[in-house]
Amino acid sequence: MSAPVFLTADPALRTGRRVVLDGPEGRHAVTVRRIAVGEEVVLTDGSGLAVRGTVAVVEGKDTLYVDVEERTEEPAPAPRIVVVQALPKGDRGELAVETMTEVGVDVVVPWSAARCITQWKGERGTKSLAKWRSTAREAGKQARRTHLPEITDLMTTRQVAALLGGAAFAGVLHEAADHPIATVEVPAEGDIVLVVGPEGGVAPEELAAFADAGAAAYRLGPTVLRTSTAGVSAASVLMARSGRWS
């Protein structure tokens, strides 16, 4: 079994011989996972820097010290996969974030589309965004990622169009599109930005705004996927097409 992954902000992660894991992550390791002296763990800052080591000391219920055996720093993945995810109903947003994190998506952008039933406003929006970020963090650790995905603030259609305009490749998933996304040529560098609409579909005015920004429409296949699964399916295709999975 692979060593479990935990997040730490200890400065010793970069150069020290012993790294401390405390706070909520330390409590999870000691109290929930029951990590003990002699066990192997991986500690990371979530931005590519990681150490593999052996637990030397466990203190109380929330602190352990790890003797460093190996230190690595992975470069940021290229090209970067960015998925603009329209807000799904219920907990399907967390499902979408979890599965996209597992396959390697680098950035997830919550989008308040015209046909979204769910709306993030006030305290509800703050809590929902926090859930997405917590889901990405936990799924990233489960997937043994040292580069954890970014979950941006909620974006409007105008902001999404600006994001698409600056992308190396931009596309919108649409069931009526003529071109399959499985055949597109994707760049080796820069941002690949893909828009996933809500259950009711991307509105015509949104499609027009995105087309003006340079984003063409693409279909996944002969079936219609739910918004919570379309993103991970398309991202997987793009991972393969870009060479990220080679």
Side-chain angles (χ1 to χ4, degrees):
M1 178 180 288
S2 301
V5 176
F6 299 98
L7 289 167
T8 181
D10 185 3
L13 188 70
R14 182 163 294 279
T15 58
R17 294 182 178 179
R18 178 170 285 187
V19 181
V20 63
L21 181 68
D22 55 11
E25 285 287 279
R27 179 174 293 277
H28 182 73
V30 176
T31 305
V32 179
R33 296 294 300 270
R34 299 187 182 277
I35 301 296
V37 171
E39 292 192 54
E40 187 178 64
V41 296
V42 173
L43 305 182
T44 178
D45 64 355
S47 297
L49 179 62
V51 300
R52 180 179 295 274
T54 301
V55 177
V57 179
V58 175
E59 286 184 354
K61 297 180 179 180
D62 62 359
T63 305
L64 52 79
Y65 296 85
V66 177
D67 285 343
V68 177
E69 298 172 358
E70 180 186 17
R71 179 176 281 107
T72 59
E73 187 160 12
E74 295 183 4
R80 199 167 69 145
I81 308 295
V82 180
V83 176
V84 177
Q85 174 67 59
L87 303 180
K89 296 180 291 185
D91 61 358
R92 288 187 172 274
E94 288 97 274
L95 173 63
V97 170
E98 179 180 54
T99 53
M100 286 192 287
T101 297
E102 289 173 357
V103 301
V105 169
D106 302 293
V107 182
V108 179
V109 179
W111 171 38
S112 183
R115 293 176 176 173
C116 282
I117 295 175
T118 298
Q119 297 294 323
W120 283 6
K121 294 181 179 179
E123 185 177 353
R124 177 182 182 179
T126 301
K127 288 183 177 179
S128 296
L129 180 59
K131 283 184 179 180
W132 279 35
R133 287 173 172 164
S134 176
T135 298
R137 183 173 62 251
E138 296 307 313
K141 292 190 297 179
Q142 182 67 34
R144 308 297 193 268
R145 288 182 59 168
T146 58
H147 279 280
L148 296 186
E150 174 190 359
I151 309 297
T152 73
D153 290 339
L154 181 68
M155 287 193 184
T156 64
T157 296
R158 179 174 295 182
Q159 290 171 318
V160 170
L163 183 68
L164 293 167
F169 171 87
V172 182
L173 290 184
H174 196 279
E175 61 189 72
D178 293 327
H179 303 293
I181 200 165
T183 61
V184 300
E185 294 295 328
V186 296
E189 300 289 338
D191 284 356
I192 296 174
V193 183
L194 184 70
V195 177
V196 179
E199 299 289 359
V202 182
E205 61 272 19
E206 293 168 335
L207 280 173
F210 296 158
D212 288 343
Y218 298 94
R219 58 179 169 80
L220 264 172
T223 60
V224 178
L225 277 67
R226 301 196 68 163
T227 184
S228 53
T229 52
V232 66
S233 301
S236 299
V237 172
L238 294 174
M239 288 284 178
R241 295 289 297 170
S242 69
R244 287 270 298 266
W245 279 3
S246 297

